[in-house]
Amino acid sequence: MADRRGGDEPAAKRRRLAAPDAAAPQQQRHAEAIEHILYIRWFGGQGQTKLNKLELRPLATLDALQDLPKELVESHYATPAQLPDYCTSEAFSRFTPATECLALPGDVVRTELRLVLCYRDWEYTVLRKDSGRAARGDADIQVMTAEFMGSDPLMAALGLRISLVAYPVVGIRKGFLEDAHERLLAAPDEFCGLL
């Protein structure tokens, strides 16, 4: 008899699959071992590229933001009602980069984002988003971007300022992320990322 998953498994097998998963705590431990990385590649007007690696930390709520990311969000969104959906919806998992901001080259014409899962020292690209063209999966990741001018104390003394960019909140659709985690943990040797 075929079950709703379309297989022809015996009833005992189906009952076991439907029962609470004894491996769930172990899978949860493995899921904690999955690191989330956002690679940001900037393309310049003369064919040059710059690759930035941002390690992502889980963000339970926006109230957990600190320092510069918190200031950037609060300065742009005066009230919680103005926040974008990916900052408030339960449909998204939220992250914040470990690096607060990056120096932005002046001639960036296109930006490419890649979400990477790192597990057992292997990196798997699971999502790609390009500012230059619409792509499948664009709704699965939303990245808050803030560009501003800044300087460190030494540069300020010289009267110099640099263009900076920050990505204080990265929202990833929960269904997409949970599916990627499950597939990776179920068969890490067979899991294929995007090329």
Side-chain angles (χ1 to χ4, degrees):
M1 170 180 236
D3 70 351
R4 66 183 175 169
R5 289 178 295 276
D8 292 320
E9 299 172 349
K13 182 74 168 179
R14 283 195 312 273
R15 276 196 307 274
R16 224 176 339 172
L17 289 174
D21 188 1
Q26 182 179 0
Q27 279 192 342
Q28 180 64 28
R29 282 193 301 273
H30 287 302
E32 292 169 3
I34 295 175
E35 295 175 49
H36 302 86
I37 299 168
L38 184 65
Y39 280 103
I40 300 166
R41 184 183 306 267
W42 291 323
F43 295 85
Q46 303 300 317
Q48 70 274 38
T49 62
K50 180 172 181 176
L51 183 64
N52 302 282
K53 177 182 179 179
L54 298 177
E55 295 178 8
L56 300 176
R57 298 182 310 223
L59 188 61
T61 66
L62 289 188
D63 292 332
L65 284 172
Q66 298 177 1
D67 304 323
L68 180 62
K70 184 178 185 94
E71 289 176 33
L72 292 170
V73 171
E74 289 176 349
S75 68
H76 193 70
Y77 301 101
T79 66
Q82 295 175 327
L83 288 166
D85 202 30
Y86 64 91
C87 290
T88 58
S89 171
E90 288 298 316
F92 284 88
S93 295
R94 283 166 286 284
F95 297 85
T96 190
T99 304
E100 288 187 337
C101 61
L102 303 166
L104 182 66
D107 61 346
V108 173
V109 295
R110 186 166 61 93
T111 301
E112 178 190 75
L113 306 174
R114 285 182 182 243
L115 177 65
V116 171
L117 301 181
C118 184
Y119 183 65
R120 295 183 181 167
D121 296 327
W122 286 95
E123 291 185 353
Y124 304 90
T125 298
V126 293
L127 192 123
R128 182 182 311 131
K129 183 174 183 175
D130 193 320
S131 67
R133 53 191 109 124
R136 193 186 72 168
D138 276 359
D140 290 329
I141 186 168
Q142 300 295 321
V143 180
M144 186 180 290
T145 305
E147 292 184 31
F148 54 98
M149 297 301 290
S151 63
D152 63 24
L154 176 62
M155 291 180 69
L158 298 172
L160 300 174
R161 295 173 57 92
I162 57 173
S163 182
L164 299 172
V165 64
Y167 304 94
V169 180
V170 177
I172 305 168
R173 191 169 301 281
K174 272 187 185 174
F176 169 82
L177 190 60
E178 288 170 356
D179 177 62
H181 281 191
E182 287 174 17
R183 290 185 296 116
L184 176 58
L185 294 173
D189 294 333
E190 298 170 16
F191 187 84
C192 291
L194 303 173
L195 297 178

